[in-house]
Structure formats: structure tokens, C-alpha cells
Amino acid sequence: MSNTNNGTTNHHPSPPRRTPNPGKATVLAIGKAFPRQLVRQDLLVEGYIRDTNCEDQAIKEKLERLCKTTTVKTRYTVMSRDVLDQYPELATEGSPTIKQRLDIAHPAVLEMATEASLSCLKEWKRPVGDITHIVYVSSSEIRLPGGDLYLANELGLRNDVGRVMLYFLGCYGGVTGLRVAKDIAENNPGSRVLLTTSETTILGFRPPNNSRPYDLVGAALFGDGAAAVVIGSDPIPGKESPFMELNYAIQQFLPGTNSVIDGRLSEEGIYFKLGRDLPQKIEDNIEGFCRKLMEKAGLEEYNELFWAVHPGGPAILNRLESKLCLEGKKLDCSRRALMDFGNVSSNTIFYVMEYMREELRGKKENAEEWGLALAFGPGITFEGVLLRSL
């Protein structure tokens, strides 16, 4: 099912330009994977309307407008014509299909997670037995034992590997995973943490309905995929090639905003409602949040940083760019990830970080040293990491 290349060039590790701070967690390798089903945005509307047997012209026109405003060009999805032929009830309004959706999602997210992890471990170049901990993030599966155990078995990890499972965090889950992996790495000297995220939109796929306008936003914006990174402190010279230091991490929620992003599981799958005031809520609070991170390194100027922002949608990126008066290209890596993959929930921050690695390497001695990784999700929750380019 999975595709790990997707037109990007393979990364050849190079020695860090800067020395990591002793004891600070660093990113040692990165990988990604996707389903084989590539969806071009300019062909999505006709396919979605056909597959869901929708005859409402107004819905079709609205979806066409949304597909243009999202700025997405391509996405990868587990959902395909073959899946719908096998499970036609997924396109039938009101059908109790949670079992069928999980039957599709569970093997799909595991396969993508395995492929992304193997790609990451190949770049890391150390034995898989050297992984001491695993952090697994997904909002796309519901089972006991969790995907962390299935992934550990698939990869052949040691049976005493320390496992952490992070379920249903949504779009900020990848940055939460970085914070948790950082804490593990820094408090367990010599440890190496595999952080893997994997997501599919199968749980939320359904025919359009005028009573659920956000379903069309999901159809126009979200995609499927997986990502993985290896995190560890005090990298071994000559054996490991760190490219970012996780210097400091924080999380905060905005009181009274828990209904702005609302997700509910039902017999028909998962439903999401997104408040129109989400971009404004983020804009109103982003400056103070960024300042908390920047103060740890005595940083003051936003445009002296590099920015790895989860691209929840173009409106959020535009609001953040305007509020912080960022120069024109500061969010290019976020916009590029959104264009190439859509919003892939917890995975997307790692696609942004991989593009950022390419960009910083290309700048050579002119590359920014410090940057921020940011993501936003249900709560409203803000997650942030102060990054240092190595």
C-alpha cells in the first residue's frame, strides 16, 4: 500500500554545522510513507460526487470553491474505488459502518507506520535493537492492544522497548509526540526514541449533507500518510547525524474553547465540527505563546527564526503570517507541505520539518540557527518546540 518516495530526493546525512548542547534531545533521522492512491485536487470533485452518488449541484459548486481555496494540489488516500466497491455502505447516508471503517483503518495505518519507520531507521543507520522507546501517535484507530505494540512487533523491536501510545490528539499530535520523545530522551541517557505517526481519513469519509457543511472542508483538505523520526540526546559522532535540536517545548490550552474543534465518534464513523472563529482564536493568542518559547534562548525578532508550522489550512497560515509580520517566504515549507500532501493531521509537521531541513541545508552559512515548530488542535491546544538547526 505505502509509498515512501513521492518525488522527493533521498537525504544523505552530513555532519552537523553546529554542536548540539549536551543532554538536549536532537532529531537524528526522518522518514515518511503514504498510500499508493494519489488524488489530484483538480480531479477530486468529480470523483467524490460520483462515488457518493451526490446529485446536489449546489454542494458540487461549494466543493469546487473549497478545493481551490485550500491551495492543496495533491493528496494520498487509503480510500479508493476498490475500497468503495468492497464496502459500498460507506457511501450510504446513515449506515452504521464503524466496524467496516476500523477493519480498513487498522491494517492501513499499521502498514504506513511500518514503512515510514523503516525509511527513518534506514537513514539513521543503526541497528533496530538500539531503539529503546517508541512513541506512537494516531487518531485513526481504536483497538487494544494499541498500534504501538503492533508496530513494535512489525519492526522487530526488543520486547522490553518502552512504549507510549498517544490517541486522538488531532492536528497537534505530532508536536506532542516530539515533546514526549524529548522528555524520554533527556531523562534516559543513551536512549533512542522512535516517534511514529500514522493517519487515515477513512473514519470520517461519508456522503455530503447540507446539515454537515464541514464534511466538505474535510473532503477538500485532509489526506492520509505516516511519518517517523528518531530522537536522542548526545549523538554519537561519526555514527549519527543530528539535524535539529529540540531545545525547549511547551503546551497550553485556551480556556473556554473546547467546543471550537469538536470531534465525536458514532456508529457511522467520526464527525468533526470546526468553529469559524478558530483562525481568529489562534491569531489572538499566538504572539504570547511564541514569546514563551523564544525567551528561553533570548530571541526577540520573529524574522530571524525559521518556522515549521502545522498547515491546518491556508487561513491559519495567513493569520499567523500577518499577526507576526513574517517576511514572505517564512512559511514556504508549511505551504509546500499543504500543497503536496494536504492536512495529514499529526503527520504534517514532519513533512514540514523535512522540507525545512532541505531549505536550511541549501542556505549553508546563511541559514537561521533558531526556529519554532508549532501546531494547533482540539482544546484549543497549542503545542510548540523551540528548535535549533544543527
Side-chain angles (χ1 to χ4, degrees):
M1 172 185 290
S2 299
N3 180 340
T4 57
N5 291 324
N6 307 296
T8 60
T9 56
N10 291 326
H11 172 71
H12 299 285
S14 57
R17 295 162 298 168
R18 301 182 181 95
T19 302
N21 286 304
K24 286 290 185 182
T26 61
V27 184
L28 301 170
I30 192 167
K32 63 182 185 296
F34 301 93
R36 291 198 181 95
Q37 176 78 11
L38 174 65
V39 179
R40 284 175 44 187
Q41 194 80 337
D42 58 347
L43 301 178
L44 178 134
V45 176
E46 291 297 332
Y48 179 76
I49 295 297
R50 179 194 66 237
D51 292 343
T52 57
N53 302 308
C54 177
E55 298 179 354
D56 190 322
Q57 185 63 26
I59 286 180
K60 181 180 178 181
E61 292 174 357
K62 182 176 182 179
L63 183 57
E64 287 174 340
R65 293 193 298 271
L66 285 169
C67 282
K68 292 177 181 178
T69 59
T70 61
T71 72
V72 177
K73 299 297 183 185
T74 53
R75 285 176 288 168
Y76 296 86
T77 65
V78 171
M79 177 57 74
S80 66
R81 185 68 252 176
D82 290 343
V83 171
L84 281 175
D85 287 343
Q86 186 176 356
Y87 300 95
E89 61 270 29
L90 297 181
T92 302
E93 182 70 36
S95 296
T97 52
I98 187 62
K99 180 183 183 301
Q100 294 94 317
R101 294 172 190 274
L102 292 175
D103 286 345
I104 301 166
H106 287 161
V109 293
L110 176 59
E111 184 172 355
M112 291 188 294
T114 301
E115 291 294 332
S117 299
L118 289 173
S119 175
C120 179
L121 293 170
K122 182 179 179 181
E123 180 179 296
W124 185 44
K125 295 182 178 179
R126 286 183 59 183
V128 67
D130 289 350
I131 294 293
T132 59
H133 299 76
I134 184 170
V135 177
Y136 181 67
V137 182
S138 182
S139 297
S140 305
E141 59 172 87
I142 306 168
R143 56 179 166 179
L144 295 173
D148 56 327
L149 182 65
Y150 287 98
L151 181 58
N153 281 324
E154 286 292 316
L155 297 175
L157 301 183
R158 295 164 13 192
N159 67 354
D160 64 346
V161 66
R163 308 190 328 266
V164 175
M165 178 77 226
L166 299 175
Y167 264 160
F168 284 98
L169 300 183
C171 290
Y172 68 85
V175 184
T176 302
L178 284 172
R179 177 169 53 81
V180 172
K182 169 182 167 62
D183 286 348
I184 293 172
E186 292 178 357
N187 286 284
N188 296 270
S191 63
R192 291 297 180 264
V193 185
L194 176 65
L195 164 59
T196 303
T197 62
S198 190
E199 307 285 6
T200 175
T201 53
I202 282 287
L203 295 186
F205 177 88
R206 58 181 49 83
N209 188 304
N210 284 314
S211 67
R212 299 190 307 269
Y214 186 65
D215 284 358
L216 291 182
V217 178
L221 183 63
F222 286 94
D224 300 352
V229 289
V230 174
I231 305 294
S233 60
D234 301 315
I236 303 172
K239 288 189 176 182
E240 295 176 311
S241 301
F243 64 91
M244 279 189 188
E245 178 181 290
L246 308 178
N247 189 271
Y248 180 64
I250 59 173
Q251 180 195 71
Q252 76 174 44
F253 69 93
L254 306 182
T257 64
N258 54 294
S259 63
V260 175
I261 304 173
D262 188 31
R264 302 296 173 94
L265 193 65
S266 77
E267 293 86 350
E268 300 170 44
I270 195 165
Y271 289 92
F272 281 104
K273 292 182 180 179
L274 193 65
R276 293 180 178 273
D277 56 345
L278 175 61
Q280 186 65 53
K281 295 286 187 184
I282 292 174
E283 179 181 351
D284 291 344
N285 292 275
I286 189 61
E287 192 164 11
F289 185 73
C290 291
R291 288 293 180 192
K292 288 181 182 179
L293 289 162
M294 295 166 64
E295 286 170 359
K296 289 295 179 178
L299 304 169
E300 295 183 357
E301 297 297 327
Y302 296 127
N303 282 300
E304 291 180 359
L305 309 178
F306 61 87
W307 293 81
V309 181
H310 168 78
I316 291 174
L317 295 179
N318 293 341
R319 291 290 190 99
L320 189 148
E321 183 178 67
S322 175
K323 180 69 173 181
L324 304 181
C325 300
L326 298 182
E327 295 170 356
K329 296 185 177 182
K330 284 294 182 178
L331 298 182
D332 275 6
C333 291
S334 296
R335 297 188 191 281
R336 183 180 169 194
L338 181 63
M339 180 177 68
D340 291 346
F341 310 115
N343 180 341
V344 201
S345 193
S346 65
N347 305 307
T348 325
I349 191 65
F350 301 107
Y351 308 154
V352 177
M353 288 174 66
E354 186 175 42
Y355 282 154
M356 183 59 66
R357 175 171 69 176
E358 294 176 11
E359 180 179 292
L360 293 171
R361 292 294 187 204
K363 290 182 178 180
K364 298 182 180 180
E365 66 274 5
N366 295 320
E368 299 93 335
E369 179 176 2
W370 294 95
L372 298 182
L374 303 173
F376 321 99
I380 297 171
T381 299
F382 284 40
E383 282 277 7
V385 180
L386 177 64
L387 302 172
R388 181 168 171 257
S389 176
L390 301 175

